[in-house]
Amino acid sequence: AWRLVWRGSLAGRAMAPIPADVLYVVSLSVAAAKRGQGIGAGLLANAVEEARAAKLRAVALDVAFSNDGAQRRRPPLLPSSGLFHALRAAPSHGGRGARRRVDPHGTPDRGLNVTGCDTFPPVFLRDNEVGSRVARHLKPGDRVLDYGAGTGLISRWLAGAVGIRPTLADLVEYGNRRRDFPFLKMEDPFHVPAADGAFDVVLLLFVLHHNPYEAQSKVLAEAARLASRRLIVLEDTPRSPLDLAFNVFWDKVLNLRHRIPTPFAFRSVEEWPAVFMGHGLEAVHVETYRPKWPTLASYHHTLFVLEHE
């Protein structure tokens, strides 16, 4: 992992500045054994769709070379108009690749890899890693509120993979937010303009630690009000001083772009259940893991599936 970071830093210093009206995408080159499955085409189709939705003129695709056969080339600027449909129509090659397609939302029809992200799929790596864990606890047709949705990319992944019906809610309308789902603009961080039990499931994905400790209960109370069946909470849960140091670093770096508050209000796995119980929520599933992307397994995440007691 650190070798990959080093290579990426060299590439970042060597390449020309990316214009503001160009979507910059960095990905891993496909290992030789995985080529011919439409992986690169799917990633590119996803990026082109995002660029078109944001009215950008081009996509710059930067490949971080993770295999010996890759050749170093300056990433081309690809026009965002006229390319997307050509990619969707392109045939796949190879036995497994024939079953792959890119749907109208740019989401790969590849089935769920419930063991985690052990290949480089045709979506952004973080979306796959988070989505594949959350998807196991959702059903097709679920009305799902993505509370603190940000860009909505995880909901887009889940809609394609599971068939949920997402609604996004946030205080901020991000410029690169998904526009193909309903959006509830929040004026108050502790209130979503929707009726009690309006959703089957409420997602709180990396939301709670962006609130001070004393405010986290208010967010949970509102999420519990809105969820008729369950809540799914995904949180940073550092387990050691080294974990915490990496967690603080990555939390700051990953949220600089959108200027999201970072009070570093993390809790351990052991601390969260008592907080949930204070709102009549019982953890029916707890799963702790080290995420590969983008934080390179440097600290822990924990997924909590909560239901009303």
Side-chain angles (χ1 to χ4, degrees):
W2 294 114
R3 183 183 178 192
L4 179 59
V5 172
W6 174 73
R7 288 183 175 183
S9 69
L10 293 179
R13 288 196 292 270
M15 70 181 298
I18 301 298
D21 60 349
V22 171
L23 175 65
Y24 175 59
V25 179
V26 62
S27 67
L28 294 171
S29 58
V30 181
K34 299 292 183 180
R35 292 174 190 166
Q37 299 177 19
I39 293 176
L43 171 66
L44 187 54
N46 187 63
V48 169
E49 184 199 7
E50 183 177 351
R52 293 180 66 188
K55 301 188 184 303
L56 302 178
R57 70 175 176 87
V59 173
L61 181 62
D62 186 8
V63 179
F65 304 101
S66 59
N67 62 71
D68 295 334
Q71 295 181 358
R72 297 176 182 271
R73 296 178 181 175
R74 182 172 176 177
L77 292 183
L78 303 171
S80 60
S81 60
L83 178 60
F84 178 61
H85 291 290
L87 282 170
R88 287 179 57 198
S92 298
H93 301 283
R96 291 181 60 191
R99 297 196 299 271
R100 292 182 180 270
R101 68 174 175 85
V102 178
D103 72 12
H105 300 299
T107 307
D109 179 19
R110 58 176 184 81
L112 284 177
N113 172 14
V114 297
T115 61
C117 181
D118 55 5
T119 62
F120 303 128
V123 288
F124 296 116
L125 296 171
R126 180 179 182 272
D127 299 354
N128 176 74
E129 188 166 32
V130 172
S132 61
R133 292 178 184 274
V134 172
R136 307 171 202 175
H137 309 285
L138 299 171
K139 299 186 297 186
D142 272 348
R143 300 163 301 155
V144 176
L145 176 68
D146 193 343
Y147 190 150
T151 61
L153 290 175
I154 300 297
S155 282
R156 189 274 306 276
W157 192 99
L158 292 167
V162 183
I164 65 167
R165 294 179 290 158
T167 296
L168 313 181
D170 212 307
L171 288 164
V172 179
E173 295 194 54
Y174 294 95
N176 59 340
R177 172 177 59 82
R178 298 297 304 181
R179 307 289 170 175
D180 41 0
F181 302 129
F183 177 71
L184 300 176
K185 177 69 168 67
M186 299 168 60
E187 304 299 332
D188 179 340
F190 312 122
H191 177 70
V192 176
D196 294 0
F199 302 94
D200 300 307
V201 181
V202 174
L203 305 180
L204 289 170
L205 306 180
F206 309 108
V207 169
L208 292 173
H209 70 262
H210 289 293
N211 294 269
Y213 290 115
E214 61 274 15
Q216 291 173 354
S217 285
K218 296 180 181 180
V219 177
L220 275 171
E222 181 65 356
R225 177 185 74 83
L226 295 163
S228 63
R229 190 170 86 243
R230 63 176 39 161
L231 278 70
I232 298 178
V233 175
L234 192 51
E235 270 299 318
D236 299 346
T237 51
R239 301 180 66 174
S240 68
L242 183 60
D243 261 19
L244 180 60
F246 278 118
N247 202 162
V248 168
F249 168 77
W250 281 112
D251 199 44
K252 193 67 177 179
V253 168
L254 295 175
N255 291 289
L256 278 175
R257 177 184 178 188
H258 294 299
R259 300 181 181 178
I260 298 173
T262 52
F264 308 125
F266 309 116
R267 296 180 189 266
S268 68
V269 179
E270 294 74 23
E271 289 176 299
W272 278 115
V275 179
F276 301 145
M277 289 177 63
H279 298 279
L281 298 169
E282 179 184 8
V284 297
H285 177 82
V286 180
E287 177 182 347
T288 298
Y289 66 100
R290 285 185 179 269
K292 297 177 183 177
W293 312 109
T295 54
L296 306 175
S298 55
Y299 60 91
H300 292 82
H301 287 172
T302 299
L303 176 76
F304 301 92
V305 179
L306 311 174
E307 295 183 355
H308 297 281
E309 292 180 330

